[in-house]
Amino acid sequence: MSIIGKYPYTRLRRLRAKDFSRRLVQEATLHSKDLIYPIFIMEGEKKSESVASLPGVDRVSLDRLPSVAEECLKLGIPAVALFPYIERNLKTDDGRESWNDNGLIPKAIKLLKRNYPELGLITDAALDPYTTHGQDGLVNEHGEILNDETIEVLVNQALCYANAGADVIAPSDMMDGRIGKIRDALESSNLKNTLILAYSAKFASSFYGPFRDAVGSTNTLGVKGKETYQLDFCNSKEALREVGLDIEEGADMVMVKPGMPYLDIVKAVTEKYEIPTFVYQVSGEYAMLKAAFANRWLVEEKTVIEVLTGFKRAGASAILTYFALDAARSIQSAA
Ligand code: PBG
C-alpha cells in the first residue's frame, strides 16, 4: 500500500504552521506593479466631485491630476487609465468631441506626459462618454449600433490620443474588427510603438452602473443596454473567440471584464493564449465591496488584498482597480 498522500505522512498543515513557511510556499502574490488606477477627469480648476455610487473615487479637474500621478508613482503603480466626464453641451450623436485634439483627454495626456513621462497612460477608445445616446458606437434611425461606421470614428479617436502621447489605446467598444483597423492606422501614422490593450472579453454586465454615473452616461443611455455588441454573460467559448480574433488583429494585451464573476474566463484565456491578460475589477464590484465595508460587514484591507490576489491566481498579469492606491499602500506597509 502506498503511503503517498496518506495521513499521518502527509500533513498539509505542517507548511501552514509558521509564518516563514507559509510565505515561502506562496504561489500567486500581489505587487503594486500589477495595478492600474482608473481616473475620472473633468474640466475646471481645483475641483473634485464625489460620485455617490463610487465612494472614495472622485472626478478631478486637470490641475489635480499631477498629485494623483505622483501618488501612483510613489506607490509603484505603473500606469493609469484615463476616463473623461464630458459636459452635456459637448455631447453629440456622433461623439465628435472624442477626437478633438484640444479635448479633455488629449489635454490630460499632454500634461501628464510632460511632467511624468515614466507613468504609463491608457485611454479608452469608445464613444459612450461623448454621445447624446450613451452608446459606445454610432446609432442609426432604427436604434442599431453601426459597426463599420463606428470603427472609422474609433480610428480618429485612437490616433488623436496616440498623437497626444498615450502609451496604450484600449478599445472598449466591442465592434467587430476594430483592433485590426486601429493597428493599421497606428502603423501608417508612424505610431508603431503605441500599444493596444483590447477589451476583448467584455461582457454586457450590470456591474458598470457606477462607472456610467462617473462619466455621466447613465442618463444618456437610459434603460437601453449594450447586448448587441458586448458579450452575453452565458458564454465562455465566444469570449475565447473574441480574444483569438483580437490577437490576430494585432492586440498587445487583452482584457477580461468584469473581474470577480468572470474568473473562469481569466483562467481560460491565460491557459489558451500566450498573451498578457489584464482584468478589470469594475465599478460595480468596487461599489459592492465598499458598501459591505461601510456597514462593517467585511474588513476592508484584508478583503481587498484577497480579492485582487484571486485575479493573480487566475492568471491575470495586471488588474485595473479603483482599489489600486489602497492596495499599493497596504502592500507597502506590509513589506
Ligand atoms: C466604456 C467603458 C465602460 C467601462 C469601461 N469603459 C462602461 C460600459 O461599457 O458601459 C466600465 C468600467 C467600470 O464599470 O468600472 N465603453
Side-chain angles (χ1 to χ4, degrees), residues 131-259:
T131 53
T132 41
H133 45 70
Q135 296 286 359
D136 294 23
L138 303 178
V139 184
N140 72 9
E141 66 273 24
H142 308 296
E144 292 157 355
I145 314 298
L146 302 169
N147 193 85
D148 303 8
E149 293 81 349
T150 296
I151 294 180
E152 285 176 35
V153 180
L154 294 174
V155 164
N156 292 340
Q157 188 183 20
L159 289 177
C160 169
Y161 299 166
N163 273 318
D167 299 290
V168 183
I169 303 297
S172 68
D173 57 292
M174 292 299 281
M175 297 299 119
D176 286 322
R178 86 278 204 219
I179 300 299
K181 292 280 187 195
I182 292 173
R183 175 57 76 209
D184 265 350
L186 291 171
E187 282 291 323
S188 54
S189 307
N190 206 20
L191 292 161
K192 55 178 172 296
N193 290 327
T194 304
L195 293 159
I196 297 179
L197 164 61
Y199 282 75
S200 302
K202 176 169 179 178
F203 290 85
S205 169
S206 297
F207 283 92
Y208 305 148
F211 173 95
R212 293 177 189 166
D213 294 340
V215 299
S217 70
T218 302
N219 295 333
T220 49
L221 186 64
V223 294
K224 297 210 178 63
K226 300 190 177 182
E227 288 78 9
T228 68
Y229 45 105
Q230 298 179 346
L231 278 161
D232 183 336
F233 54 72
C234 302
N235 298 352
S236 59
K237 291 189 174 70
E238 193 183 345
L240 292 174
R241 284 185 79 190
E242 285 283 6
V243 170
L245 287 171
D246 286 353
I247 294 172
E248 270 173 38
E249 290 176 32
D252 300 286
M253 300 87 84
V254 296
M255 199 200 303
V256 175
K257 177 185 169 196

